[in-house]
Every structure is written in C-alpha cells, then in structure tokens.
Amino acid sequence: MAILQILEFPDPRLRKIAAPVTIFDDKLGALIEDLLATMYEAQGIGLAATQVNIHQRFLVIDVSEERDNPQVFINPSFEVIENELSEYDEGCLSVPGFYETVSRPRVIKVVAQDKAGEKFEIEAEGLMSTCIQHEIDHLNGKLFVDYISTLKRDRIRSKLEKEHKQSA
Ligand code: QAP
Ligand code: CO
C-alpha cells in the first residue's frame, strides 16, 4: 500500500478527462487500496483517481463519522431524481485550505461498478450526494472552484501558486 501525492489546483493535470476502467484485475484493486489509504491519511471524505494523477474513472468516498465505511465507485454516473438543490460548504484535497458554498442536486441515483466489475445502483442524498457529484466532476476535469466567481477562483489560484513557489 502506498500514500500517493495529491495534485493541487491549478495543476493542469486536474483538467484531464479520465478514461473508463475496462480491466478489473489485481492491479486495479491495488490502486483502489492506495487511493483509500491516501484519502484516510489526508483526512478527506472523498478522493478521485484524477487527483493522484491516475486518469481512470474510479473514486473512493467515506462520509462516516468513524472512518470505517469505505465506498468504491468505478465508472460512476448519476441521474438527478428530485428537482431540488442543496448547498454545502465544499472543500477539496486539491484545493487545501479553501471552502466555498456550492449548490447541487439534492437526491441522485448513482450507477457504478464495484472492484469485481459488478454493476450496482444506489440512491444518495445530503452529504453523500454532494460528495459523489464533486468526485465525478474530478473525473471530468472539473473542480468545485469552477462553480464560484472568477474573482474568488483567481484569488485562490494566486494564494496556492504562492504557496507552491515557497515550498519548491
Ligand atoms: C469533497 O473533500 C467534499 O482544504 C471531499 O485542508 C468536501 O475530503 C464534498 C480537506 C466537502 C462535499 C463537502 C480539505 C482536508 C478535505 C482541506 C475533502 C483540508 C483538509 C476535503
Ligand atoms: Co475534490
């Protein structure tokens, strides 16, 4: 198991569109374990493969208080099933230290595959719904800062670029 390096905004690799997973083998299983270990180490509630520079469509989530409910979604997609939005203060391990309110569909149906390639469906609401949508956005090269004003986004970009220069 390995802790992977998390790319940070405005790294252009966060803008790549991930390719569907087609092979469900032990190598994929090992990458999923690494992604989970990296998420827990960083104390996140979700992490997409794109964020660790793996451009394949899978992500991990654990929104439980006890940090003991890892959930894996491979080739995920979702449908909005209720015409209602909910707001959350979102953060992102790729945008450390910044939080902004984002509005997203409140209830969704998610279709995905598990690590054996078996298809499953879940209905998600609340934080889980927001988190899945946030992570699927990563697989499409999209970040939560894309939903806020250009002014706020540019300020966040400048501050992170400055931090990156100082630590380089
Ligand atoms: C996405 O984000 C999310 O800035 C997952 O210093 C977040 O796990 C979906 C984190 C909120 C819905 C609501 C961020 C940790 C973790 C930071 C995360 C930080 C340390 C973010
Ligand atoms: Co994120």
Side-chain angles (χ1 to χ4, degrees):
M1 227 161 47
I3 304 299
L4 308 172
Q5 198 197 331
I6 299 174
L7 303 177
E8 293 188 5
F9 178 68
D11 193 308
R13 291 170 292 182
L14 289 168
R15 298 306 188 179
K16 288 183 149 189
I17 303 208
V21 170
T22 54
I23 302 170
F24 295 80
D25 59 3
D26 288 352
K27 219 176 120 191
L28 177 67
L31 289 177
I32 289 167
E33 289 308 310
D34 290 348
L35 194 62
L36 277 167
T38 304
M39 176 184 74
Y40 285 124
E41 158 87 9
Q43 298 185 19
I45 59 171
L47 191 61
T50 302
Q51 293 177 271
V52 295
N53 203 27
I54 298 172
H55 301 285
Q56 296 182 45
R57 305 191 77 83
F58 63 95
L59 58 90
V60 296
I61 288 178
D62 189 341
V63 294
S64 72
E65 208 69 61
E66 295 75 23
R67 322 287 297 137
D68 60 357
N69 185 29
Q71 292 183 271
V72 178
F73 297 85
I74 304 171
N75 298 326
S77 63
F78 73 91
E79 269 176 50
V80 177
I81 61 176
E82 230 183 66
N83 187 19
E84 199 182 324
L85 301 175
S86 68
E87 286 187 342
Y88 270 94
D89 266 342
E90 294 190 23
C92 180
L93 290 169
S94 294
V95 191
F98 296 90
Y99 296 84
E100 295 290 344
T101 306
V102 178
S103 185
R104 299 183 188 264
R106 195 180 74 82
V107 191
I108 59 173
K109 186 182 90 178
V110 184
V111 179
Q113 285 164 282
D114 66 17
K115 62 182 171 25
E118 288 297 325
K119 218 170 198 180
F120 67 94
E121 270 185 34
I122 60 156
E123 196 175 299
E125 59 175 71
L127 181 59
M128 184 67 185
S129 172
T130 293
C131 197
I132 292 174
Q133 292 175 64
H134 173 119
E135 301 310 333
I136 291 177
D137 270 354
H138 278 299
L139 303 180
N140 295 323
K142 198 163 166 91
L143 299 169
F144 83 90
V145 294
D146 298 343
Y147 295 99
I148 64 178
S149 72
T150 310
L151 180 67
K152 280 187 181 169
R153 183 167 60 253
D154 287 349
R155 282 195 189 131
I156 293 172
R157 179 192 284 117
S158 306
K159 287 181 188 165
L160 285 174
E161 278 174 340
K162 200 166 156 188
E163 282 181 27
H164 297 155
K165 270 182 201 133
Q166 280 166 351
S167 61

